Amino acid sequence: MTGTDFTQGWVNGWIITIILINLLGCLWLLWWTRKRPDDPIKDGESLGHSFDGIEELNNPLPHWWLNLFYFTIAFAFIYLTLYPGWGDAKGIFGWTSAGQWETEVKRAENKYDVYFQEYAAIPVDELAKSTEAIKTGQRLFANNCAICHGSDARGNLGYPNLTDADWLYGGSPDKIVETITNGRGGMMPPMGTALGEDGVRDVATYILSFTDRKGSGNAAAGKAKFDTLCVACHGVDAKGNQMLGAPNLTDAVWLYGGSEKIITDTINGGRHGKMPAFKDTLSPEKIHVLSSYIFSLSN
Ligand code: HEC
Ligand code: HEC
């Protein structure tokens, strides 16, 4: 960030003016209080005021002390010129806090790149057995994924649990890498208008019947509607389709919740879960290690 990002032009002039007034003021003070050859009061004589029995004598500062003051003022000028000190001027060294941060990040990356290169040569499912790699993967997960999937990767409503064997898009090493690299977006269309209120209730009741529960509609009528409107994505047996990320509706694992109310809401309004792509944020080597960590959670 440069000064002009958050200040207007006049502020830079104002800052420079204040610095100059301070430094030149110090210089002037040193000059004004210097020892003068025509001083009527000689060294060591009384200046004529005393307080509480203490008398002020004319004892000028030692030379080395005075020179130290001059030196600090000169130092200030040099420092402010080398580093960005004068308003938004860049400084001779070209130093910026952002630049320093980038250099440090680069240095750290070069250091850890070696490990990631080594890991990259080992297949995801093999690497999942390495405690060291899993620890690294866990750290990457905490920094990039935990906000949505939870720090224990068990997910939340709308955010899938990554520790079970139930996969929307597939739990093979390749599928996990693909999910993290390119992201995913499940598209469940709103079906309320196509089904009508009773239709939605019937289909929801049919879905509840897979887990031996009763709903407020007619399961047989629901099955007929399911077979025309839902099978294309969820499959004839309602066990889902990993190509589309369509969930298995016959098990007790629910992405959005399995109560009659929530299932009805899902069918009425549709759902559109979004898993962001990480190919621009994480290198392929990091995604490789992260995938091993995810793989290790359910294997
Ligand atoms: C902004 C929230 C968010 C972040 C951050 C996020 N995810 Fe996801 N992730 C999701 C959602 C939502 C889904 C489900 C997508 C869907 O419904 O189609 C998902 C799906 C997945 C899946 C597929 C699960 C399955 O059953 O097939 C994997 C694997 C996954 N995420 C891993 C990760 C990893 C690893 C990270 C960190 C690099 C991450 N996610 C970061 C929201 C997120
Ligand atoms: C175009 C494909 C498609 C069609 C058609 C479709 N679905 Fe879906 N459905 C999906 C996808 C994809 C998801 C996951 C949404 C997500 O990841 O956000 C889903 C999610 C669901 C869920 C939520 C499951 C959970 O675990 O929370 C239910 C319930 C559901 N669908 C029921 C139905 C019913 C009933 C129909 C027919 C009336 C239907 N779907 C038609 C693709 C489809």
Side-chain angles (χ1 to χ4, degrees):
M1 187 183 284
T2 64
T4 40
D5 285 345
F6 64 97
T7 58
Q8 290 166 305
W10 66 267
V11 177
N12 292 313
W14 177 235
I15 291 171
I16 294 174
T17 310
I18 291 180
I19 297 176
L20 279 176
I21 288 176
N22 269 288
L23 292 176
L24 296 177
C26 289
L27 258 184
W28 176 80
L29 203 67
L30 286 173
W31 174 83
W32 185 63
T33 56
R34 80 197 186 284
K35 188 181 162 193
R36 294 180 179 82
D38 56 347
D39 201 336
I41 307 170
K42 296 273 163 299
D43 283 6
E45 284 179 5
S46 167
L47 282 169
H49 18 88
S50 67
F51 179 77
D52 217 9
I54 299 171
E55 200 176 16
E56 188 182 358
L57 304 181
N58 184 15
N59 280 330
L61 288 174
H63 274 298
W64 64 265
W65 189 314
L66 211 61
N67 287 340
L68 211 61
F69 277 129
Y70 284 117
F71 174 75
T72 54
I73 292 171
F75 179 84
F77 275 101
I78 295 168
Y79 183 86
L80 288 166
T81 311
L82 292 179
Y83 288 94
W86 302 108
D88 64 347
K90 294 229 183 315
I92 290 174
F93 283 167
W95 181 93
T96 60
S97 51
Q100 178 168 351
W101 182 77
E102 273 162 23
T103 321
E104 279 165 21
V105 168
K106 278 229 177 65
R107 198 180 301 144
E109 273 178 359
N110 286 340
K111 190 172 154 208
Y112 294 117
D113 254 8
V114 188
Y115 297 105
F116 282 112
Q117 295 297 346
E118 277 175 23
Y119 289 152
I122 308 170
V124 167
D125 46 347
E126 279 299 312
L127 195 58
K129 293 170 195 151
S130 150
T131 348
E132 283 305 306
I134 295 310
K135 268 195 204 140
T136 307
Q138 196 167 20
R139 269 196 295 278
L140 286 169
F141 187 85
N143 288 335
N144 296 283
C145 327
I147 37 161
C148 291
H149 292 283
S151 52
D152 58 357
R154 286 181 193 281
N156 209 324
L157 287 191
Y159 302 104
N161 181 345
L162 305 176
T163 66
D164 58 14
D166 192 272
W167 297 95
L168 291 166
Y169 297 94
S172 68
D174 285 354
K175 288 293 170 194
I176 296 175
V177 170
E178 193 183 314
T179 296
I180 304 172
T181 307
N182 299 321
R184 301 283 190 184
M187 220 17 197
M188 158 78 199
M191 292 290 196
T193 347
L195 286 164
E197 208 177 310
D198 288 348
V200 172
R201 196 178 304 136
D202 293 345
V203 176
T205 302
Y206 173 58
I207 292 174
L208 287 169
S209 73
F210 291 122
T211 40
D212 294 328
R213 292 179 294 165
K214 301 235 178 311
S216 52
N218 180 325
K223 177 176 169 22
K225 298 216 168 65
F226 188 91
D227 287 348
T228 52
L229 287 170
C230 318
V231 286
C233 295
H234 289 280
V236 196
D237 52 4
K239 287 200 194 298
N241 180 344
Q242 293 189 340
M243 301 287 284
L244 302 167
N248 181 348
L249 303 176
T250 65
D251 58 15
V253 179
W254 299 96
L255 184 57
Y256 294 100
S259 67
E260 180 169 11
K261 165 83 172 72
I262 294 181
I263 292 176
T264 307
D265 286 349
T266 298
I267 301 171
N268 270 324
R271 298 284 187 185
H272 185 29
K274 183 114 193 62
M275 157 75 195
F278 279 86
K279 59 170 175 280
D280 297 330
T281 326
L282 299 172
S283 66
E285 292 80 14
K286 282 186 178 159
I287 291 179
H288 186 83
V289 173
L290 199 44
S291 301
S292 294
Y293 170 68
I294 303 292
F295 186 83
S296 76
L297 295 173
S298 53
N299 288 279

